[in-house]
Amino acid sequence: MARKYGSKALAVAALATASVGALAQTSENPIVTVLNSVSLAGVAAAIAALALVIVAIALTMKGPDVAKRIIRKV
């Protein structure tokens, strides 16, 4: 009997031990980890930089038109 079921019992015991070890690990929710890592100061800096880039692009596109108007009026 031990020969017949010995290796299977060993495999089942190893599997049970591995699954208990996997279930015993505590892990944090990844979404909570990401939300905790984002700070308001970083978000504010990113929004300010993006606004500055958008304004710079708009002024670059509008600059030649404004210069033409000024030249015509002079």
Side-chain angles (χ1 to χ4, degrees):
M1 285 293 240
R3 269 202 206 129
K4 186 175 181 183
Y5 297 111
S7 62
K8 290 182 183 178
L10 183 61
V12 169
L15 181 63
T17 305
S19 65
V20 169
L23 293 175
Q25 294 176 355
T26 59
S27 63
E28 220 175 295
N29 187 352
I31 295 173
V32 172
T33 304
V34 169
L35 290 176
N36 287 337
S37 67
V38 175
S39 68
L40 290 179
V43 173
I47 290 173
L50 185 62
L52 183 64
V53 168
I54 290 172
V55 168
I57 291 171
L59 289 176
T60 303
M61 299 297 283
K62 200 69 165 171
D65 292 335
V66 173
K68 285 180 186 176
R69 288 181 192 165
I70 293 172
I71 290 172
R72 282 185 205 151
K73 289 183 178 181
V74 172

